[in-house]
Structures are given as structure tokens and as C-alpha cells.
Amino acid sequence: MARCIIIDVYECNGCGSCVEICPDVFAMNDEGDKAYLLDSEAEVTEKVEEAAAYCAQKCIEFD
Ligand code: SF4
């Protein structure tokens, strides 16, 4: 079964690095303080894994 992407918004500090690495999957909310998924069923690609690896808060997870 395909893995899904989860952002722990409580831990997210709004650094924006996931959006820089993978703008087709992640975006910042209107306040610019939390990331969210553009598509909740987005595939876990290498870029998504890279974004997770670079997330300083380690709040991008896979289920
Ligand atoms: S890289 Fe992590 S902490 Fe930074 S905006 Fe994305 S989810 Fe939030």
C-alpha cells in the first residue's frame, strides 16, 4: 500500500524548507507559519523524502 505524508503542524516552525525543496507537494498557509499538503494523497517521492530529511523539526512523517 502507498505510504501517506503527514505533517505534525504542532511541531512545524514555518521555516519553509519543505516548500523550497518540493513546492508541488508542500505549501505555506496564509499566515506563513505552518506548512500544509497541497494534495493529501501525494506520493512519497525522493523529493518528499529529501524534504523530510531537511525538516529541522522532523515533523514530516510517513504512515
Ligand atoms: S520543513 Fe518542517 S518545519 Fe519547515 S515548514 Fe516544512 S514541515 Fe514545517
Side-chain angles (χ1 to χ4, degrees), residues 5-29:
I5 308 164
I6 299 165
I7 299 174
D8 183 339
V9 287
Y10 183 78
E11 293 293 337
C12 174
N13 66 6
C15 72
S17 102
C18 56
V19 181
E20 263 175 50
I21 294 169
C22 210
D24 50 338
V25 173
F26 300 98
M28 297 307 296
N29 67 3

Side-chain angles (χ1 to χ4, degrees), residues 29-47:
N29 67 3
D30 288 342
E31 291 76 26
D33 61 353
K34 300 285 175 186
Y36 69 92
L37 289 171
L38 290 168
D39 174 4
S40 61
E41 292 177 9
E43 257 183 75
V44 180
T45 60
E46 270 182 36
K47 275 285 177 197

